[in-house]
C-alpha cells in the first residue's frame, strides 16, 4: 500500500505560549515605601449574555475584545482571549489580574465571572470513575499492586515513556525468570524495576509475509502504539500533567501503578499471527507472570479449534489469570470472542467524560458531537455539505469535495480526514450509525475540522440535507474536557455481545470496563492513528486517546493484579468471580446501565442485558472483599468440555494425558461452577436444575439469604434459601430450579434476572439469562 505524504495546510502550534509584555513605569518612592509589584494574571471565564451585545459591534468576538480593552490597561491581542464559548454557554476565557477581573464582573452584559481552577483527572478519568484514587482503600490495602507481574501479548512497548519510570520500586522478585532482550533498536538497559521483561516473536508473521530478512533478535519496540497504551493502562506509573494536547489533562495512573510489566511482542502492522501469540503466551508462563492481558481476538470459533483458547487453558492450569478483550464487532449478537470459561472476557463501556463539539446547520439546529480536533477552537464559517460513501477512495477527489464538509455515511477515522484534507476538503462529519447517543461514541483526533455524530444526530443531519438544495453547516470546537455531566457507564455499540457462539450455556462477556476515549502512553514512533506506514499526518504525542475493548481489557488485568496482591493464593476463577459478583448494574444516575448499540427493537434508553454487559461494570473496592466466590479448576473445565460432547481427542488438545470422560456435569455445560447462569429451554425440557458451590473468603462467620429476580415466564426456586458459613474457606452448595412457564413456542427469545446472596456486609450477585 502506498505511503501517503500529507500537505501541511496550517502551520499552527498546538499550544500558544504568548509572552505578554508589561509596560513598567518607575514609581517614585515616598517615605521609603517599596515599589508596588505588578499583579499576576490568572485565567478567568467570563460568562456573557449574548443577547445584551450592543448593536454597534459586528460580532460577539468584537464585543468581547472591547470588554477586555475597557477593563485592562495592557495591550489587547488575540492571544489574551484563550477561548470563546458559543453553544452550551456564551462568553470567553481570558487572562486578567484580580483587579481587572473585579472590574469586569460588573460590566454590562456579564452574567458571571469565574476564576479558573485545576480539576484532578486520572488517566482519562477511568481510575477515578471506577473508584481508584490515592486516598482509596483499594490502592492502599494492596500497596498499588506492588510486585505483581502482568504479561502483555501485544505490539511491543516504548520503554522511554515516563509511564514506565520505576521510581520508588524495589527489585523484581528473585523467582522472576524473564528478561529484556538486546535488539537493533532496543537495548536491554532500557528496562528497569517497572519494565522487567521485553521480548518479541515475529517469525510466523515474517513467514506469512514472505519476508526473507533474517538474522538478529526481533525487537520488542512498539512502533504502533497499542502495546504501550494497554500496558500503561494496566500498570503505568503516576505521571502528572499527562494529556493528548489539551484534552484529558491530569495525572495518569495505571490500575495497579506499582505492578511490574513484561511485554511479549507478537503483533505488527499486519496483525497478530496465532503462532507468534502462542509462543508469546508460552514464554510468559515460563517467565512466571501472574497475569496475562491480551487485547487480541478473532471471530468466534469452537474452543478446540482456537489455539488461543488452548494456550490460555495452559496458562490457567499454572494459576495465571488471563484477561482478554471481547471484540469490537458489536452491536450484532453472537459476536463475542475469547469466550472460553477459563478466560475473563471484557466488554467496553464509557466513563463520565465528554469532548464536546457542535455542528450548526444552516437552519439553526445545533447537533452535539465529539471531537479531539485541536487547531481551531473558535469554529468555522458556514460551508456547503456533501454526503458520500467514505469507504470508496474515488470519492475523495478535489472536484467532489474541495471547499466542502464531507459527511461520511459509512463511518470515518483519521485516514479519511487525511484524504479529505489532501483533496482540499474544508471539514468532515463522521456519522456513527451504530450508536444511539453522543454519550457512547468515540472521539477522534482528526487532522482537519471534524467531529463524530451519533445515529440520532446523523438522522437529523440527513433530514436537513434532504430538505435543502444546498445544505450548509459550521463547526464549533470547545477544545475542552467535560466530566460528570453525562450518564455513565454506557455500553458502547462496538463492544461484542453474546450469546456465546462456542457455548450458548456459558454467559459472555463476563464484565465491562472503561474502553471508550481512554488516555494512556503512546509510542514515540507512531502517528496518532497507530500504524504510521500507511497514513501519517506527522502528528506525534506522548499520550493518545483511543477506544476499543482492547482498552477495557487492561483495566481488568490491572484490577486483577490488585486482587492477586491481596490474595496471592487465589485461583484465576476466584479472581474472576470476585470481579463478576461485585460488578455494578446501575449508572452514575442510579438507572440501569444503558446499551448504546442501534439494533432491531432497541431505542435510545434500552437497558444493557447480561448478553451485552455480562455481570456488569467492574468495582475494584468491592472486588477486594467479595465475601464468597465461585471456584473452578482444570477438572471442572474438563467436565465442561465433556458436557459439550467434545471427543477425547479434542479434549486432549487441552489436557494431553486425558483418557475419557469419567464424570457427568449435572445440568450439562450450564452446570459449570460459574458466577452466572445461562439456561436454555427446549421442547423436551420444562425444568432445568443447576448446582453451584460457594467458597467463603471473608474472615468472620456469616449467614447469607438469597434474593431472586426471576426472568419473565420462568419460576426460579433456590434451595436452601439461606447459607451459613462459619469457617474460613468453607464451601456450601445450593441448587437452582428453573421452570419454564412460557406459553407456546418462544425459540428466539431471551429473558433476564439475577440471583443474589446477601447479608449486611456482602452482596454476591449472579446474572441469569434464559433462552427458548
Amino acid at each position: 500500500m502506498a505511503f501517503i505524504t500529507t500537505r501541511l495546510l496550517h502551520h499552527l502550534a498546538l499550544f500558544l505560549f504568548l509572552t505578554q509584555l508589561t509596560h513598567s513605569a518607575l514609581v517614585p518612592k515616598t517615605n521609603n515605601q517599596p515599589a508596588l509589584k505588578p499583579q499576576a494574571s490568572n485565567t478567568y471565564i467570563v460568562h456573557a449574555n449574548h443577547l445584551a451585545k450592543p448593536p454597534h459591534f459586528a460580532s460577539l468576538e468584537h464585543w468581547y475584545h472591547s470588554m477586555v480593552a475597557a477593563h485592562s490597561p495592557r495591550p489587547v491581542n488575540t492571544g489574551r482571549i484563550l477561548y470563546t464559548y458559543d453553544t452550551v454557554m456564551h462568553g470567553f476565557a481570558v487572562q486578567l489580574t484580580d483587579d481587572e477581573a473585579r472590574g469586569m464582573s460588573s460590566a454590562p452584559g456579564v452574567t458571571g465571572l469565574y476564576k479558573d481552577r485545576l480539576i484532578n483527572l486520572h488517566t482519562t478519568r477511568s481510575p477515578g470513575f471506577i473508584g481508584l484514587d490515592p486516598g482509596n482503600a483499594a490502592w492502599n490495602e494492596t500497596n498499588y499492586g506492588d510486585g505483581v507481574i502482568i504479561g502483555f501479548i501485544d505490539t511491543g512497548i516504548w520503554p522511554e515513556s515516563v509511564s514506565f519510570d520505576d521510581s520508588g520500586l524495589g527489585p523484581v522478585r528473585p523467582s522472576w525468570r524473564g528478561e529484556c532482550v538486546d535488539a537493533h533498536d532496543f537495548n536491554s538497559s532500557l528496562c528497569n524495576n517497572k519494565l522487567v521483561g521485553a521480548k518479541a516473536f515475529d517469525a510466523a508473521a515474517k513467514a506469512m509475509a514472505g519476508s526473507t530478512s533474517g538474522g538478529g533478535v526481533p525487537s520488542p519496540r512498539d512502533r504502533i502504539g497499542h502495546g504501550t497504551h494497554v500496558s500503561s493502562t494496566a500498570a503505568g506509573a503516576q505521571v502528572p500533567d499527562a494529556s493528548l494536547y489539551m484534552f484529558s489533562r491530569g495525572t495518569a495512573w495505571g490500575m495497579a501503578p506499582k505492578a511490574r510489566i513484561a511485554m511479549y511482542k507478537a503483533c505488527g502492522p499486519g496483525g497478530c499471527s496465532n503462532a507468534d501469540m502462542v509462543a508469546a503466551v508460552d514464554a510468559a508462563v515460563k517467565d512466571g507472570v501472574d497475569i496475562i492481558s491480551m487485547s487480541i481476538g478473532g471471530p468466534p470459533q469452537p474452543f478446540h479449534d482456537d489455539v488461543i483458547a488452548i494456550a490460555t487453558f495452559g496458562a490457567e492450569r499454572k494459576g495465571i489469570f488471563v484477561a482478554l478483550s471481547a471484540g469490537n464487532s458489536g452491536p450484532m449478537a453472537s459476536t463475542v470472542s475469547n469466550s472460553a470459561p477459563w478466560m475473563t472476557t471484557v466488554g467496553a463501556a464509557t466513563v463520565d467524560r465528554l469532548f464536546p463539539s457542535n455542528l450548526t446547520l444552516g437552519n439553526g439546529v445545533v447537533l452535539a458531537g465529539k471531537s479531539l480536533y485541536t487547531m481551531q477552537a473558535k469554529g468555522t464559517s458556514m460551508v456547503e455539505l456533501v454526503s458520500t460513501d467514505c469507504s470508496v477512495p474515488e470519492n475523495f477527489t478535489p472536484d467532489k469535495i474541495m471547499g466542502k464538509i464531507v459527511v461520511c455515511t459509512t463511518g470515518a477515522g483519521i485516514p479519511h480526514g487525511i484524504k479529505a484534507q489532501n483533496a482540499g476538503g474544508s471539514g468532515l462529519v463522521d456519522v456513527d450509525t451504530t450508536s444511539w447517543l453522543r454519550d457512547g461514541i468515540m472521539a477522534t483526533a482528526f487532522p482537519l475540522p471534524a467531529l463524530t455524530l451519533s445515529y440520532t444526530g446523523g438522522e437529523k443531519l440527513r433530514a436537513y440535507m434532504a430538505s435543502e438544495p444546498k445544505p450548509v453547516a459550521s463547526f464549533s470546537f470547545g477544545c475542552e474536557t467535560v466530566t460528570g455531566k453525562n450518564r455513565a457507564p454506557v455500553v458502547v455499540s462496538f463492544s461484542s455481545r453474546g450469546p456465546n457462539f462456542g457455548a450458548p450455556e456459558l454467559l459472555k462477556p463476563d464484565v465491562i470496563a472503561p474502553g471508550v476515549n481512554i488516555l494512556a502512553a503512546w509510542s514515540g514512533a507512531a502517528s496518532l492513528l497507530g500504524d504510521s506506514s500507511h497514513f501519517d499526518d506527522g502528528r506525534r504525542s506522548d499520550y493518545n486517546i483511543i477506544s476499543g475493548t482492547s482498552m477495557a481489557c487492561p483495566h481488568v488485568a490491572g484490577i486483577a493484579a490488585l486482587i492477586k496482591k491481596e490474595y496471592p493464593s487465589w485461583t484465576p476463577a476466584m479472581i474472576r468471580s470476585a470481579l463478576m459478583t461485585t460488578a455494578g448494574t446501575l449508572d452514575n444516575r442510579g438507572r440501569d446501565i444503558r446499551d448504546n448499540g442501534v439494533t432491531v427493537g432497541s431505542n435510545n434508553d434500552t437497558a444493557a442485558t447480561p448478553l451485552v454487559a455480562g455481570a456488569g461494570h467492574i468495582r475494584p473496592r468491592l472486588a477486594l472483599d467479595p465475601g464468597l466466590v465461585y471456584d473452578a479448576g482444570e477438572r471442572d473445565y474438563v467436565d465442561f468440555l465433556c458436557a459439550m460432547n467434545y471427543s477425547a481427542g479434542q479434549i486432549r488438545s487441552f489436557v494431553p494425558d486425558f483418557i475419557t470422560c469419567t464424570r457427568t456435569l449435572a445440568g450439562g455445560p450450564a452446570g459449570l461452577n460459574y458466577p452466572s447462569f445461562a439456561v436454555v429451554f427446549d421442547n423436551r425440557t420444562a425444568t432445568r436444575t443447576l448446582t453451584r458451590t460457594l467458597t467463603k473468603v471473608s474472615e468472620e462467620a456469616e449467614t447469607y439469604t438469597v434474593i431472586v429476580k426471576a426472568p419473565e415466564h420462568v419460576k426460579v426456586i433456590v434451595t436452601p434459601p439461606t447459607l451459613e458459613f462459619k469457617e474460613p474457606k468453607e464451601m456450601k452448595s445450593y441448587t437452582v430450579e428453573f421452570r419454564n412457564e412460557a406459553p407456546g413456542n418462544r425459540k428466539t427469545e431471551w429473558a433476564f434476572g439475577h440471583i443474589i446472596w446477601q447479608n449486611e456486609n456482602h452482596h454476591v450477585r449472579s446474572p441469569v439469562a434464559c433462552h427458548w
Side-chain angles (χ1 to χ4, degrees):
M1 298 178 68
F3 181 87
I4 296 180
T5 304
T6 61
R7 301 195 310 268
L8 296 179
L9 300 180
H10 304 285
H11 296 279
L12 299 178
L14 299 175
F15 294 101
L16 302 178
F17 297 104
L18 300 180
T19 304
Q20 298 182 359
L21 300 177
T22 303
H23 296 278
S24 329
L26 291 177
V27 180
K29 296 181 180 180
T30 57
N31 300 325
N32 295 322
Q33 292 181 349
L36 295 175
K37 294 182 179 180
Q39 285 189 345
S41 294
N42 294 289
T43 300
Y44 284 86
I45 299 169
V46 182
H47 190 184
N49 180 354
H50 67 291
L51 299 177
K53 178 182 73 69
H56 60 276
F57 289 107
S59 67
L60 289 172
E61 189 172 304
H62 290 157
W63 182 36
Y64 299 157
H65 279 289
S66 173
M67 286 187 191
V68 176
H71 294 89
S72 172
R74 295 172 292 160
V76 178
N77 56 57
T78 56
R80 290 280 304 283
I81 292 183
L82 305 177
Y83 297 106
T84 58
Y85 308 112
D86 62 358
T87 306
V88 296
M89 62 177 282
H90 284 81
F92 54 97
V94 64
Q95 289 277 312
L96 299 171
T97 67
D98 290 346
D99 286 345
E100 293 168 350
R102 279 189 289 270
M104 187 171 291
S105 65
S106 59
V110 174
T111 303
L113 188 140
Y114 316 99
K115 192 172 185 177
D116 199 13
R117 61 192 180 98
L118 290 176
I119 304 296
N120 292 325
L121 299 175
H122 294 156
T123 328
T124 78
R125 188 161 169 75
S126 56
F129 181 68
I130 62 176
L132 293 175
D133 61 67
N136 178 267
W139 270 350
N140 293 329
E141 289 176 5
T142 63
N143 195 19
Y144 298 80
D146 189 15
V148 178
I149 302 173
I150 308 176
F152 298 88
I153 316 299
D154 219 286
T155 66
I157 197 163
W158 191 260
E160 293 87 354
S161 172
V162 289
S163 283
F164 309 128
D165 180 79
D166 67 347
S167 298
L169 296 180
V172 67
R173 62 179 182 245
S175 62
W176 172 241
R177 297 179 293 276
E179 63 177 1
C180 292
V181 300
D182 281 310
H184 68 282
D185 63 352
F186 193 100
N187 194 299
S188 61
S189 64
L190 292 169
C191 290
N192 53 27
N193 289 329
K194 164 61 76 172
L195 178 58
V196 298
K199 301 176 181 179
F201 305 85
D202 67 355
K206 283 184 176 180
M208 291 173 66
S211 172
T212 57
S213 60
V217 176
S219 172
R221 182 170 290 280
D222 183 11
R223 298 192 172 277
I224 295 176
H226 191 277
T228 301
H229 196 281
V230 298
S231 55
S232 63
T233 296
Q238 177 185 3
V239 180
D241 204 34
S243 67
L244 172 62
Y245 307 136
M246 72 278 291
F247 296 107
S248 293
R249 185 174 299 281
T251 299
W253 302 83
M255 300 298 105
K258 290 187 178 181
R260 314 308 168 91
I261 293 169
M263 177 57 66
Y264 300 86
K265 180 178 177 179
C267 302
C272 313
S273 158
N274 276 339
D276 292 336
M277 287 191 292
V278 172
V281 173
D282 194 57
V285 173
K286 287 178 183 176
D287 290 344
V289 301
D290 301 298
I291 312 286
I292 289 178
S293 180
M294 297 180 67
S295 294
I296 301 165
Q301 56 185 323
F303 304 139
H304 62 86
D305 288 334
D306 184 352
V307 293
I308 301 305
I310 295 169
T312 53
F313 183 90
E316 198 281 339
R317 292 176 73 188
K318 298 292 186 179
I320 298 169
F321 177 90
V322 185
L324 296 103
S325 50
N328 299 335
S329 299
M332 292 188 299
S334 299
T335 52
V336 63
S337 61
N338 298 320
S339 58
W342 49 88
M343 300 171 166
T344 298
T345 312
V346 188
T350 63
V351 296
D352 61 341
R353 187 198 52 214
L354 298 172
F355 306 105
S357 58
N358 294 296
L359 184 72
T360 301
L361 307 181
N363 60 4
V365 172
V366 178
L367 303 179
K370 284 185 184 178
S371 181
L372 297 174
Y373 177 66
T374 60
M375 303 294 230
Q376 196 168 353
K378 295 179 182 178
T380 66
S381 59
M382 287 287 176
V383 177
E384 183 179 354
L385 295 162
V386 56
S387 180
T388 188
D389 180 352
C390 291
S391 65
V392 179
E394 291 75 17
N395 289 337
F396 288 90
T397 57
D399 61 305
K400 294 181 179 179
I401 68 170
M402 181 173 284
K404 300 176 182 178
I405 295 174
V406 180
V407 178
C408 288
T409 58
T410 54
I414 290 177
H416 303 93
I418 294 174
K419 289 188 286 186
Q421 187 180 52
N422 289 342
S426 291
L428 185 143
V429 176
D430 165 33
V431 179
D432 182 354
T433 59
T434 66
S435 298
W436 277 111
L437 299 172
R438 179 180 68 164
D439 290 359
I441 61 177
M442 297 183 290
T444 301
F446 290 106
L448 80 171
L451 54 70
T452 301
L453 296 176
S454 67
Y455 169 80
T456 305
E459 285 297 285
K460 294 177 181 178
L461 174 60
R462 183 188 61 79
Y464 164 69
M465 294 182 69
S467 69
E468 291 287 338
K470 191 174 181 179
V472 294
S474 65
F475 292 107
S476 175
F477 302 99
C479 293
E480 60 182 340
T481 303
V482 177
T483 59
K485 301 298 184 182
N486 58 298
R487 281 182 64 182
V490 171
V491 181
V492 69
S493 63
F494 63 70
S495 187
S496 292
R497 290 109 197 280
N500 187 343
F501 173 83
E505 292 179 278
L506 179 70
L507 194 59
K508 290 283 182 170
D510 293 311
V511 291
I512 53 174
V516 183
N517 303 325
I518 303 301
L519 176 77
W522 200 242
S523 167
S527 70
L528 297 187
L529 177 62
D531 180 8
S532 302
S533 62
H534 302 308
F535 292 98
D536 188 353
D537 59 6
R539 293 179 296 168
R540 297 291 186 271
S541 177
D542 293 334
Y543 288 80
N544 199 3
I545 295 173
I546 58 176
S547 300
T549 54
S550 282
M551 284 62 257
C553 176
H555 281 82
V556 170
I559 294 166
L562 299 179
I563 299 173
K564 186 71 174 178
K565 175 68 176 181
E566 185 73 0
Y567 307 105
S569 65
W570 278 19
T571 67
M574 295 169 76
I575 296 174
R576 177 171 50 252
S577 176
L579 291 165
M580 292 177 65
T581 60
T582 61
T585 59
L586 302 179
D587 64 19
N588 56 358
R589 302 292 189 267
R591 300 166 64 182
D592 288 337
I593 292 174
R594 191 170 55 196
D595 178 5
N596 205 44
V598 177
T599 57
V600 176
S602 69
N603 57 51
N604 60 11
D605 199 29
T606 298
T609 71
L611 295 178
V612 175
H617 196 268
I618 52 171
R619 296 192 287 185
R621 285 182 292 182
L622 296 179
L624 283 163
D625 182 23
L628 304 170
V629 295
Y630 295 88
D631 196 10
E634 176 184 341
R635 181 65 183 270
D636 302 287
Y637 299 133
V638 169
D639 291 343
F640 171 84
L641 296 175
C642 287
M644 292 186 63
N645 296 318
Y646 274 34
S647 69
Q650 291 169 338
I651 295 176
R652 277 193 286 272
S653 298
F654 303 92
V655 184
D657 59 355
F658 177 80
I659 299 174
T660 186
C661 295
T662 58
R663 299 194 310 185
T664 300
L665 190 60
L672 177 68
N673 198 43
Y674 212 72
S676 59
F677 295 85
V679 179
V680 178
F681 293 112
D682 55 35
N683 294 331
R684 302 184 304 273
T685 307
T687 300
R688 299 289 306 278
T689 301
L690 302 177
T691 300
R692 292 289 191 270
T693 299
L694 285 160
T695 300
K696 177 180 178 293
V697 292
S698 59
E699 295 184 2
E700 302 297 328
E702 290 185 306
T703 299
Y704 289 81
T705 302
V706 73
I707 296 176
V708 176
K709 180 183 177 183
E712 187 177 8
H713 302 301
V714 179
K715 186 173 184 179
V716 179
I717 302 172
V718 178
T719 305
T722 61
L723 294 174
E724 184 178 1
F725 295 86
K726 297 179 179 179
E727 302 296 329
K729 300 182 181 179
E730 184 177 358
M731 294 186 291
K732 294 279 187 178
S733 296
Y734 66 95
T735 61
V736 187
E737 186 178 277
F738 298 91
R739 294 180 183 174
N740 178 15
E741 297 184 345
N745 191 334
R746 306 168 61 88
K747 285 187 178 179
T748 62
E749 295 189 23
W750 285 88
F752 307 97
H754 60 244
I755 294 172
I756 301 171
W757 291 97
Q758 73 171 22
N759 58 28
E760 58 195 20
N761 298 317
H762 298 106
H763 187 91
V764 185
R765 180 184 182 276
S766 293
V768 174
C770 293
H771 182 246
W772 289 264

